[in-house]
Amino acid sequence: MEERQILLRNRGKINPRKASEYIATGGYEALKRALSMTGAEIIEELRLAGLRGRGGAGFPTFRKIQFAYDAPGDVKYIVCNADEGEPGTNKDRILLSCDPCAVFEGMAIVAKAVNAHVGFIYLRAEYAYLVPVLEQALESSREEHCLGNNIMGSGFDFDIKLRSGAGAYVCGEETALFESIEGKRGEPRFRPPFPGISGLFGKPTVLNNVETLANIAPIFRNGWEWYRTIGTDNSPGTKLFTVCGNVKRRGVFEFPMGINLKDLIYEVCGGMEEGRELLAVQTGGASGAIINASQIDMTLDIDQVSNSGGRLGCGTILVMDDRNCIIDIVRNNLEFFKDESCGKCTPCREGGTRLYQLICKIAEGRGSIRDIETIEDLAETMRLTALCGLGHSTAVPVTSSIQNFYSCYLRHIDREYCHVCSEEDDAV
Amino acid sequence: MREEENYSYKTPSSQLVKIAEIASHYKGRPEMLMKVITKVQKIEPAFSASVASVIAREMDIPQTQVYSFVTFYAMLSVKPRGKYVIRMCKSAPCHVRGAKEIVRALEDLLQIKMGETTEDRRFTLEYCPCLGVCEQSPAIMINEKAYVNLTPESVRDIVKRYIRGEV
Amino acid sequence: MINLTIDGEAIAVEEGTTILEAARRLNVHIPTLCHHEDQAVKAVCRICVVEVEGQRLLPTACSMPVSEGMVVKTASPKVIKARKNIMELILARHPQDCLVCSKNGKCQLQKVARDLNMNRPNRYERDVRESRFDDSSPSIVRDMSKCILCGRCVEACTKGQGITVMAKENRGYGTAVVPPYGKKLVDTCCVNCGQCIQVCPVGALSIRDNTDEVYDQIAKGKHVVAQIAPSVRITLAESLGYAPGTVTTGKIIHAMRKIGFSKVFDSDFTADLTIMEEGNEFLNRLKNGGTLPMMTSCCPAWVKYCETYGYEQLSHLSSAKSPQQMFGAVIKTYYAKKAEIDPKNICSVSVMPCTAKKFECKRSEMCDSGYQDVDISITVEELAKMIRTAGIHFDDLEDQEFDSPFGLGSGAGQIFGTTGGVMEAALRTVYEVVTGETLPRLEFDQVRGTEGIREAEIDLNGMKVRVAVVHGLSNARKVLDEVKAGTSPYQFIEVMACEGGCIGGGGNAPKTRRILAERRRAIYEEDRSLPIRKSHENPYVQRLYEEYLGEPLGERSHKLLHTTYHSRRDLLR
């Protein structure tokens, strides 16, 4: 299967630090076009293109921009969420390290739409080594008059500042990210008010994922009609998939939305390693659903995946072979969420750890059916009442695995020795 | 290390002078705390009480705010750390590809457990969440550099290069 | 107006109203823990979740504004189940020794748990939060095992007082609200104001209880004398369940005698004495080029704040002691002599609306009588507990009078208990001393009110004096910064650390601004009802000067009634 490289078209082909090389491949043309458009026209183009957020939730991008466009106020901000913390996701790192100017261009177009003059890129601390690349790419974009004052002689000013995180998954949540940029603990805010009205520093703010922003320039370069020809009706465009785990060929791949998961695993990634069977796939990262081998004949677009109970999220595909145990994987997921809960709201702070304790109990052969009931009850409460998306989705891997691997839970409850789970004991 | 030592350790005053210089550029700009902290971390791996009070004084914010901030973020520490912080990814993509064996190799080589610092304050071993190099798992990060596709043998070689001072 | 339906009843409310507020208007009480009506919305405890038709999740009533056509269910089975599950999570980490908790019966968590009918055993392993018990402070006791991480104390300390003694440490399950770097409260810049206790919904922060020491002294047969602060008669009844603003001076005196206090004196009297000293000090500074602006020193939390953050501005503080400490010095000298009691057999107790007074009486400077001037300071809340413990039917008590020779306080002394009161009391005296004229109207309306910083210009026979009245230390910081910069436009500044002044002090029953308004009303009414309303006209004060002290700022006055301050800048390290 051939990749369709739109976002990754410059991967390995240009020097990411040099805006001139980006320009030589047609870069910043889209911005030039957008600079001649009104905010309403830019938003309309994105509406027609049908672009949806690539960070996880799949929210229509044009609507986010519309909120900030409609909000009163002279000062507005554009924020690029480069806090790629979802385990198993590398796409934003690839985009920023191969073609950062494409992201800047997307930010500038959104800025033009809402008349913002300052943008921030919030980069996770684990990607600190990208800072010099980004700094140089920003500087060279300014030198080419594609950023800064009076961009391309249009009279429009927009510049981008880099901000870094310091190790907190929750800062990928938009309001927590704002808090972090404001020099505080990265704790999410309650909503409403929504970021489009009151975001960074209390100003109307448009926040988008790196990949979403990278989609914008191609749309304006080639037109929305072109964009609509790629992907599915409800999820146009391509998607970056990070495939990791126990497949032969791992990596970040770009395919049109709607590719089949089974094809991705077996044809693109070469299937399981020798002599191994597929056990499970987790899509969308640690907060994604875990499905079994019989469920993988699935179309990967935003709506189809969520209809099947999971989520496409940021496009992570974690493939697990039969050397693994689902309970052990779920335990690993829950340990992650327990460590990454910001601790602000009760359900996530307390519930996350309780879920982890309950799954440990089951993994260690001390669990009962009642514990599974408690897990499901607590999971529902967390989903309904937590303050932010982290708490809402903490329990997804455990509830989905109870559904899709119930027999595995029963085996552990019957105290059948599990060598994978018990090997963990000494390490905990 | 005993619990009270975690807070009573001292930062040399020559370092504090440098830290004050960094923070003084951001007086009255509390939103720049992250920038100050990341700059300071490059010269001083841990935020002792005196580091926090110098930052607080220069930026005109409460010391408690600095402390609260530092303890929130996983890559910052108020406790003494080694010159090299080795972070082992704990997330599922590394987990399913033998992260445990890498941990064992690291603990054996440095003779400390995860979460500990060597006597000579050169190395600290820590778990961390996903490093974002999952298609090349398992992975570790030593300060700001990531090492990928590790085996117990390769990770030993890498850390030995640090031990010998070749990096 | 926005129209919505709550539990089947229609209501129209202003835009921006939250579901919580709208429900209250329909007499529906949605349980809350982190919410405080005077603070910012937090929405962290999640106990106030409700069901809104058409919404997938359960929003929190405290944070969710109403919208047109909204249909809300505040207590559907789904909501109740979620609330119980959240409460279960909280209780699994909370100590279950409520019967011996200082907040027993007044704990918001206890109340919400009871209302929720937590009728099944907890499904989780009990894992009580680490206590990190800290009774190092003379004023405040911390027990983090009881903390529910609502964040109210942090807001009170940070926003109200501008200090931030404590903040969240770590994250997730390990989050705790603590001073930094494992410090004990006594080693922090905490000013002991107790505003954190005022807002704590549980027993995590409580008033240091000194009642046992009082009983000990009574048991030992000491001559136990008490003074009660101007605010105490205004707020004590509230701690016993009365409506805010119920004044019960005579009952309090009676109850205290029943408990075993030998004498009950009125701190209004030394408030008048403070005005004599402080007022004359101010005039002296004004006439002789002393350090200006002069700042009041009767609030011990403010004094400690100034010693920490304004250590180079200490000469601006009036050297006059607070009424509590003046009384302490006078009791163990003048009173001891007059009553022919050896001062070492006197136990001097103060009843205060204030937790910082416990700190003040232990200051090493406060021994001018040759002994610790005030031995024990208890709060309004502690006295209320003693009254309850003694089984006194407070309601039925007959009024009694304060003891002599300090039997009378003026209205000026009485209003010391509210923000602006010290200033007004001083102005009543200063005006008449300087001009030699009788004030046509005693009320100085410019210095009354609730604004954080209020200012006024007073004409003293052609001499204009600019004064400021400040409450809340975050406001005090602003005027202190002006003093530091040399740009302060004032000659005289009154500072009270607590919002509302002493009637808002940390030793009272928990307040809200609405309650505070009632207390303020009561204290001004009390002033109006008193026969003497100016400090310099208090005949007992005049007699004290004649018989013992000499004159204001005189040698003996200076020794007994004035004090010194020292820098505490090291607390910032």
Side-chain angles (χ1 to χ4, degrees), chain C residues 548-559:
Chain C
Y548 190 68
L549 290 171
E551 55 177 4
L553 306 183
E555 199 188 326
R556 189 171 266 167
S557 308
H558 194 82
K559 179 176 182 298

Side-chain angles (χ1 to χ4, degrees), chain C residues 30-88:
Chain C
I30 298 171
T32 57
L33 288 171
C34 66
H35 184 76
H36 187 285
E37 63 178 69
D38 297 338
Q39 289 197 342
V41 171
K42 300 182 177 56
V44 298
C45 75
R46 316 304 286 179
I47 209 79
C48 71
V49 288
V50 292
E51 204 176 339
V52 174
E53 222 174 76
Q55 289 202 20
R56 217 162 34 91
L57 308 175
L58 302 180
T60 41
C62 67
S63 69
M64 182 59 79
V66 296
S67 57
E68 188 60 36
M70 199 179 231
V71 178
V72 182
K73 287 184 204 152
T74 69
S76 66
K78 187 175 175 184
V79 165
I80 289 168
K81 186 175 182 193
R83 283 188 195 148
K84 281 186 154 183
N85 280 355
I86 293 168
M87 180 55 81
E88 185 183 16

Side-chain angles (χ1 to χ4, degrees), chain B residues 5-16:
Chain B
E5 277 177 42
N6 283 330
Y7 294 132
S8 61
Y9 70 102
K10 296 274 183 287
T11 308
S13 52
S14 58
Q15 286 291 79
L16 295 178

Side-chain angles (χ1 to χ4, degrees), chain B residues 7 9 47-49 51-53 60 62-69 71-74 78 129, chain C residues 132 158 162-171 178-183 189 477 571-573:
Chain B
Y7 294 132
Y9 70 102
F47 294 84
S48 66
V51 171
S53 90
D60 200 12
Q63 184 204 30
T64 314
Q65 191 180 330
V66 179
Y67 177 78
S68 181
F69 184 91
T71 59
F72 181 84
Y73 293 98
V78 293
Chain C
R132 296 162 93 162
T158 301
I163 299 179
T164 319
V165 173
M166 295 185 286
K168 281 190 197 170
E169 171 194 77
N170 300 331
R171 67 185 185 199
V178 287
Y181 296 97
K183 282 189 202 171
C189 41
R477 180 178 174 148
L571 291 176
L572 293 173
R573 296 221 176 91

Side-chain angles (χ1 to χ4, degrees), chain A residues 363 411-412 414-423 425:
Chain A
R411 267 207 311 281
H412 282 75
D414 286 343
R415 294 164 190 254
E416 190 173 302
Y417 181 74
C418 170
H419 69 95
V420 183
C421 287
S422 44
E423 204 187 334
D425 291 355

Side-chain angles (χ1 to χ4, degrees), chain C residues 202-218:
Chain C
V202 291
L205 290 161
S206 51
I207 299 171
R208 172 74 168 256
D209 189 319
N210 296 108
T211 55
D212 284 345
E213 291 163 43
V214 177
Y215 291 128
D216 274 355
Q217 296 298 313
I218 295 172

Side-chain angles (χ1 to χ4, degrees), chain A residues 423-428, chain B residues 86-90 98-119 123-128 140 150-153 155-157 159-160 163:
Chain A
E423 204 187 334
E424 267 298 286
D425 291 355
D426 53 19
V428 170
Chain B
I86 304 178
R87 295 189 172 85
M88 174 74 226
C89 172
K90 198 162 62 163
K100 264 180 290 185
E101 287 154 42
I102 308 298
V103 169
R104 262 181 229 132
L106 286 168
E107 289 181 339
D108 283 352
L109 182 65
L110 294 171
Q111 285 299 300
I112 51 171
K113 293 277 169 207
M114 295 302 287
E116 293 178 349
T117 298
T118 54
E119 285 284 322
F123 295 95
T124 296
L125 278 183
E126 279 181 7
Y127 278 115
C128 74
I140 61 167
L150 296 173
T151 62
E153 295 74 41
V155 79
R156 264 186 228 115
D157 289 344
V159 176
K160 276 180 188 162
I163 294 173

